[in-house]
Amino acid sequence: MLALRLALGAHPGVQFRRLLVATASAATGFLLLGTLGHALAHQSTPGGSALRLAWCVAPLAATVYFAVTVARTDPGTRPRPGLSAIGLGPARLMAVAATTTVLSCTLGSMLALLFFLHLRGDLTGMPFDGDAADFLAADRPLPLPAALTLLTLVPVAASVSVALTLRPTETHPAPGKGTRLRRYGRFGAEGAQSPRETFGAYGRFGAQLRLTPRQAPDSAPGPAEPAPSAAETPDQVTGPAPDPADLTPIDPHALPAPRPTPRGLPWGIAVLAAGLAVEAYAARAPHTRLAMPGGVTGSPAAVLVGWVLTALGLALAGPCLTHFCGRLLQAVRPGALRLLAGRVLMEEATRIGRPLGVVCAVASGAYAMIVLYDHAADDPSLGPLTALGALVVAGCAVATLLTAAAEARRARADTTAALLRLGAPATTLRTAAGLRAAALLALFAPLTFLIAELAALPLTAR
């Protein structure tokens, strides 16, 4: 009931993203039901139906990935001050996010079942003059348990993935002298040790500066004055205020360390090279074939494995490449504009780098599919289910990237507001955003084209 209330009372933008999740779930559920219809119509050849079911893994994975991104960026399931007092801790909010995801995906699955039954003619008669009767097995009874089992794949996979992604990961090390355990904070944050702070010390004006009054050379050191009590407020502390000229700046080493560079580049390159190697091997093994959707047959079976490894490699290397773009923008005497654009890219490398890598993988796979259809000997036609599957994969990848970009913009809203208060023109911020987009396009577009060309070589080497 709490998850339903949070879902109904969310922002319209959040509701729109949940509606997109339901739409993707409906399309994937219809693809699974279409596989069931093909199996009912071709009971003598179960191998072909199994291959069609295997090709549904791609839209299923894309839908689950999009659902996880939407759940992670949902402000309704983000911890806020005071929620733990009413029983909404990190574990409870994780359960609420998983339940909300189940509701969205279940709605999409039910819509897919209704549309599937409508096309079969089980509800109001056969539509479209019976054109969909062939691949939906309209002349055979539909096994309802099998259909419901297939429809539960998307909600179960999405909810489990959301629960694993948003699970609390706080650790509680053994307390030491002068340390305390942080048992609160950002959802999913790692527990950390920090020096014990007295009441009122944090947030006190000037607390972040090291007050070291300069001593005159001819003055002798006197007895140490007692420090003010920790319970005293700034108004209760007597004595003249220190001169700002007598305050030494904070030590640079005391500042928070910058966000570290993502470490997935070596693994991404290794997995990407393995995927390209598998696809190159597919050209040397013409006897291993795999029926592909849309009427294309005789394609190398290792191509599918190579595509999966290539997509995984690009997803792993995406954050590192985005971080590298930020460093390039700040190279060779950067100005304020390039510094701003580069620092933002470095800060958001992990958030937008992985979805960007997935989009590049989808683009390279789409290029390879186009090459496959162009070089097919029997001139196949793109079937409706194949087009729907490709649309689901591409749409979920692009929607995930846009959702991550919107979340990154919301995360830096305070920084943007501070820059505007300091007098930075709005055109500068827009120019910095365009500069970031141009830098990412300049790096990822040639990389995507190169990988697409390499992935298409096994398809043309006949």
Side-chain angles (χ1 to χ4, degrees), residues 155-184:
V156 170
S159 61
V160 171
S161 300
V162 168
L164 292 177
T165 302
L166 302 182
R167 70 186 186 278
T169 57
E170 293 187 356
T171 58
H172 304 288
K177 183 177 180 181
T179 60
R180 63 181 179 87
L181 295 179
R182 187 179 66 185
R183 302 177 184 271
Y184 57 89

Side-chain angles (χ1 to χ4, degrees), residues 1 15 20 23 44 92 111 151 156 163 232 260 319 362:
M1 183 61 66
Q15 298 286 16
L20 290 180
T23 303
S44 59
R92 184 72 180 274
L111 291 177
L151 289 178
V156 170
E232 292 179 355
V362 171

Side-chain angles (χ1 to χ4, degrees), residues 177-218:
K177 183 177 180 181
T179 60
R180 63 181 179 87
L181 295 179
R182 187 179 66 185
R183 302 177 184 271
Y184 57 89
R186 180 176 55 84
F187 185 36
E190 296 288 342
Q193 293 183 351
S194 60
R196 184 180 297 274
E197 296 173 349
T198 58
F199 178 78
Y202 183 80
R204 182 176 297 170
F205 180 77
Q208 303 300 323
L209 296 178
R210 296 182 178 179
L211 301 181
T212 57
R214 298 177 181 176
Q215 193 174 20
D218 54 349

